[in-house]
């Protein structure tokens, strides 16, 4: 048997793709709820359900407190069980290291870390009050976390490098300082009053830092040396940069220690910012797009930084994470009725490696079915999508949705192979067409769900042949019309065939659509009820 390289990210043309077994791999993912992987019986049920929903990859937490219950004593039984269950269901895993921080807090630190606040100092607010966040300035915590993570990666290499069930690893989970933009414990105060490290300073003065940080530096008088407040200003925005550097340096030590044992692709994920929020009001200094250059410089062992997109304006946030060539992967997205269409859009339009609705094992029956159908369709199209990502021969179209769930009534357009595709999205059947004004992703039941009038659809168009204007069209709840990109004459439908992409990627044609099904040649319609695929051939006439 020839040895294959371990999973890795590779830049291919305009995109970065995940290679598994030396072939590009599209992550049709789902992330488990936080506690599911702490018990193998619950996990067994969840993993079985994931398989039935046609996922190919599960994102699964590894908890520091379960892994190293006493200092230096490791228990791999949960992880071994998880890998075995995933193998049985032919699923890949992406591990989420719930180490020093999970959603800013240090709730997954083992007791021996949590309870020893003199060895592992806590973040202090400006009032001096300690909170349950381990200070990013704590070298002891950084060392302990890095050692635990290295031990984890060594074990994964020994247990799994031949089978490669585990394909990527997230380091920490949604790190960020809250409810103030920076830590005020003694050690952090000292660091804050020290000069800005030369590596960051030279990025800033050399104009390689990104527009937001550059603006802060200029406002503070564009100095070429000084302390954090002198260089970036003592505002919440300026202080956030100190936190970003501190957090990213800490994560780097952990990631680098893990990579030395087993260099799987690694990433950090971010909780995003609500409109109008200032540092301190959201998890500040995390791997956010305006801090991307700082994270890159401080944490070079990370292969990418990723968004967790719970806000309705999915497209906008996903696109911001492509900044500076950052590979796009969405480890969490709101499991709303829009989740499958958003995932499809990210793959087709934004060249994403993959996406994963959160708490996927708890989806309602209807959402489970929709995700299963969408992923089944995408599985058959995977190879074609991966190739088309490389050649820029695929586009995705989705409704434009704002943070307040406002939906643009303009058709969405994309160009491919000389054709302009114009998409309109079906409103839900029997919808309450009153969009409730107050539905925002706030706390409470259904907090991330789309209001009832939100279209659930989206579509991808993939060019199959340049010469014959042949395309694969796959999606749901969308009507497509066509016009020539060169503005000359019109585009008509030569033929349209419904069918399926089988798991091995071959096309299984079925009905030839015409008459009422194409509105007598005027458009292509993908019904709202189910995800479906068509092959079409278009032609230009005068
Ligand atoms: C984002 C976090 O990363 C997840 O672990 C989870 O806490 C969800 N938010 C919300 O439940």
């Amino acid at each position: 048997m020839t040895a294959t390289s371990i999973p890795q990210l590779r830049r291919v043309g305009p995109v970065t793709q995940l290679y598994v077994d030396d072939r590009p791999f599209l992550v049709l993912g789902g992330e488990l709820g936080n506690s599911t992987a702490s018990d193998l019986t619950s996990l067994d049920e969840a993993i079985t359900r994931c398989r039935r929903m046609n996922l190919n990859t599960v994102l699964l937490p590894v908890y520091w407190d379960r892994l190293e219950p006493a200092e230096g004593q490791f228990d791999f039984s949960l992880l071994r069980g998880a890998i075995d269950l995933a193998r049985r269901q032919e699923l890949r895993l992406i591990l989420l290291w719930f180490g020093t921080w999970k959603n800013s807090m240090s709730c997954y630190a083992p007791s021996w870390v949590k309870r020893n606040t003199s060895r592992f100092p806590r973040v202090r607010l400006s009032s001096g009050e300690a909170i349950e966040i381990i200070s990013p300035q704590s070298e002891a915590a950084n060392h302990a976390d890095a050692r635990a993570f290295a031990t984890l990666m060594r074990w994964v290499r020994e247990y799994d490098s031949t089978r490669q069930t585990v394909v990527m690893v997230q380091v920490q989970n949604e790190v960020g300082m809250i409810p103030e933009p920076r830590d005020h414990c003694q050690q952090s105060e000292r660091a804050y009053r020290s000069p800005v490290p030369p590596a960051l300073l030279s990025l800033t003065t050399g104009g390689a830092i990104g527009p937001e940080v550059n603006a802060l530096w200029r406002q503070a008088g564009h100095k070429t040396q000084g302390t954090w407040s002198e260089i970036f200003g003592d505002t919440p925005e300026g202080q956030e940069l100190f936190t970003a550097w501190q957090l990213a340096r800490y994560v780097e030590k952990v990631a680098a220690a893990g990579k030395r044992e087993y260099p799987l692709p690694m990433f950090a994920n971010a909780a995003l910012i609500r409109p109008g929020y200032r540092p301190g009001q959201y998890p500040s200094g995390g791997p956010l797009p305006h801090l991307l250059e700082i994270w890159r410089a401080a944490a070079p062992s990370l292969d990418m930084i990723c968004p967790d997109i719970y806000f309705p304006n999915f497209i906008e946030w996903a696109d911001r994470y492509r900044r500076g060539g950052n590979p796009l992967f969405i480890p969490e997205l709101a499991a709303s009725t829009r989740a499958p269409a958003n995932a499809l859009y990210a793959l087709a339009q934004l060249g994403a490696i993959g996406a994963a609705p959160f708490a996927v094992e708890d989806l309602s029956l209807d959402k489970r079915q929709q995700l299963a159908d969408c992923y089944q369709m995408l599985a058959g199209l995977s190879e074609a999508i991966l190739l088309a990502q490389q050649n820029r021969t695929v586009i995705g179209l989705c409704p434009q949705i704002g943070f307040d769930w406002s939906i643009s009534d303009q058709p969405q357009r994309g160009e491919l192979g000389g054709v302009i595709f114009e998409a309109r999205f079906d409103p839900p059947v029997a919808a309450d067409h009153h969009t409730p004004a107050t539905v925002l992703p706030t706390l409470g039941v259904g907090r991330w769900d789309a209001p009832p009038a939100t279209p659930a659809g989206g579509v991808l168009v993939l060019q199959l042949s340049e010469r014959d204007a042949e395309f694969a069209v796959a999606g749901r709840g969308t009507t497509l019309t066509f016009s020539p990109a060169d503005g000359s004459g019109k585009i008509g439908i030569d033929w349209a065939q419904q069918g399926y992409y089988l798991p091995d990627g071959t096309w299984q044609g079925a009905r030839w659509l015409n008459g009422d099904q194409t509105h007598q040649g005027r458009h292509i319609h993908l019904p709202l009820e189910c995800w479906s695929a068509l092959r079409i051939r278009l032609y230009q006439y005068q």
Side-chain angles (χ1 to χ4, degrees):
M1 203 174 81
T2 39
T4 57
S5 18
I6 66 167
Q8 56 189 261
L9 297 191
R10 283 190 207 159
R11 185 91 194 164
V12 194
V15 283
T16 300
Q17 298 182 322
L18 171 65
Y19 274 67
V20 178
D21 290 334
D22 281 329
R23 293 155 59 96
F25 180 80
L26 209 57
V27 175
L28 305 177
E31 179 161 327
L32 296 178
N34 293 163
S35 303
T36 303
S38 65
D39 166 64
L40 288 176
T41 310
S42 317
L43 185 62
D44 193 0
E45 264 173 51
I47 294 259
T48 307
R49 202 172 271 185
C50 288
R51 179 70 265 182
R52 292 202 189 115
M53 283 186 279
N54 299 317
L55 274 69
N56 62 15
T57 308
V58 172
L59 284 76
L60 167 137
V62 177
Y63 320 100
W64 189 10
D65 59 351
R66 305 280 108 219
L67 187 79
E68 193 184 3
E71 187 166 6
Q73 286 174 27
F74 290 85
D75 178 355
F76 286 100
S77 53
L78 270 180
L79 183 56
R80 186 182 295 111
I83 292 179
D84 292 350
L85 287 171
R87 284 178 182 170
R88 208 176 308 148
Q89 298 292 347
E90 293 180 22
L91 286 162
R92 306 274 179 178
L93 292 177
I94 294 174
L95 303 184
L96 315 171
W97 173 237
F98 285 10
T100 304
W101 302 294
K102 194 268 169 192
N103 296 40
S104 302
M105 307 303 288
S106 295
C107 46
Y108 283 97
S111 306
W112 57 271
V113 175
K114 269 189 190 159
R115 299 167 80 100
N116 194 342
T117 53
S118 56
R119 183 170 160 211
F120 306 108
R122 292 301 174 80
V123 163
R124 289 190 184 268
L125 304 179
S126 46
S127 62
E129 184 193 332
I131 54 179
E132 206 177 62
I133 302 179
I134 288 166
S135 170
Q137 207 61 40
S138 168
E139 274 180 34
N142 205 171
H143 179 75
D145 188 331
R147 194 188 47 193
F149 187 65
T151 309
L152 166 67
M153 294 308 293
R154 187 179 329 131
W155 185 89
V156 174
R157 168 170 50 79
E158 281 161 8
Y159 193 66
D160 191 53
S161 59
T162 323
R163 291 283 292 270
Q164 302 184 356
T165 313
V166 179
V167 293
M168 294 207 279
V169 183
Q170 178 186 291
V171 191
Q172 316 291 340
N173 189 82
E174 291 195 354
V175 303
M177 201 60 68
I178 198 162
E180 291 186 354
R182 72 172 180 90
D183 174 18
H184 292 268
C185 81
Q186 231 177 30
Q187 293 87 332
S188 282
E189 281 299 319
R190 209 175 309 125
Y192 187 63
R193 299 216 168 81
S194 307
V196 170
L200 178 57
L201 205 56
S202 60
L203 268 192
T204 310
T205 55
I209 196 65
E212 300 87 349
V213 178
N214 185 53
L216 293 172
W217 175 60
R218 294 204 163 275
Q219 269 161 34
H222 45 87
K223 301 183 189 77
T224 53
Q225 57 182 19
T227 63
W228 287 89
S229 63
E230 285 164 352
I231 298 286
F232 295 117
D234 202 19
T235 58
E237 288 72 18
Q239 294 183 24
E240 183 187 35
L241 309 187
F242 168 73
T243 302
W245 186 261
Q246 257 190 333
L247 289 171
R249 290 305 299 157
Y250 189 108
V251 171
E252 168 62 17
K253 266 193 205 153
V254 177
K259 274 208 160 165
R260 279 193 289 276
E261 295 297 340
Y262 189 31
L264 288 182
M266 293 188 187
F267 61 92
N269 63 328
L272 306 181
I273 312 173
R274 282 160 204 263
Y277 275 34
R278 294 189 66 189
Q281 291 176 299
Y282 59 85
S284 312
L288 287 156
H290 68 285
L291 305 171
L292 191 138
E293 293 76 15
I294 296 190
W295 270 80
R296 275 255 176 92
S301 296
L302 296 179
D303 298 272
M304 54 188 173
I305 72 166
C306 304
D308 291 346
I309 313 182
Y310 287 84
F311 297 151
N313 46 342
F314 175 88
I315 295 183
E316 195 182 319
W317 277 107
D319 198 29
R320 287 185 69 186
Y321 271 81
R322 299 197 300 161
R323 174 164 164 158
N326 182 51
L328 182 64
F329 175 64
I330 302 149
E332 293 179 44
L333 68 139
S336 77
T337 46
R338 287 220 43 80
N342 284 341
L344 169 138
Y345 178 87
L347 301 173
Q349 180 65 17
L350 304 177
I353 288 170
F358 179 70
V360 70
E361 73 278 36
D362 293 333
L363 293 183
S364 63
L365 272 181
D366 179 48
K367 285 184 182 162
R368 230 184 274 171
Q369 193 55 53
Q370 288 298 340
L371 187 67
D373 290 352
C374 180
Y375 274 180
Q376 183 175 37
M377 184 187 83
L378 289 173
L381 275 160
S382 273
E383 257 181 60
I385 292 174
L386 285 158
L387 189 64
Q389 281 184 338
Q390 299 175 1
N391 297 330
R392 291 185 205 270
T393 48
V394 60
I395 57 170
L397 295 164
C398 254
Q400 285 287 337
I401 299 179
F403 181 79
D404 58 357
W405 284 109
S406 56
I407 301 161
S408 160
D409 54 10
Q410 293 304 305
Q412 299 302 307
R413 288 192 187 84
E415 187 185 328
L416 188 62
V419 178
I420 295 174
F421 292 83
E422 195 166 284
R424 289 177 175 75
F425 304 97
D426 296 357
V429 183
D432 165 14
H433 286 281
H434 248 18
T435 303
T438 52
V439 179
L440 284 172
T442 46
L443 297 176
V445 175
R447 56 186 165 159
W448 298 305
D449 224 332
T454 313
V459 66
L460 70 76
V461 182
L462 200 147
Q463 192 173 359
L464 296 170
S465 136
E466 213 171 304
R467 208 167 43 87
D468 289 331
E470 238 180 89
F471 301 91
V473 175
R476 171 187 183 205
T478 307
T479 303
L480 277 180
T481 51
F482 322 96
S483 57
D486 63 9
S488 139
K490 292 189 166 183
I491 297 276
I493 301 171
D494 183 353
W495 50 255
Q497 188 187 27
Q498 210 175 30
Y500 310 88
Y501 278 93
L502 299 172
D504 67 0
T506 52
W507 171 250
Q508 178 80 58
R511 291 190 304 166
W512 294 88
L513 300 190
N514 209 332
D516 291 343
Q517 278 64 51
T518 60
H519 194 12
Q520 343 304 323
R522 291 185 186 89
H523 71 212
I524 292 292
H525 181 243
L526 296 152
L528 182 62
E529 293 68 43
C530 59
W531 291 89
S532 59
L534 296 170
R535 274 184 169 211
I536 61 174
R537 188 161 78 180
L538 304 176
Y539 72 102
Q540 196 163 1
Y541 65 95
Q542 302 294 329

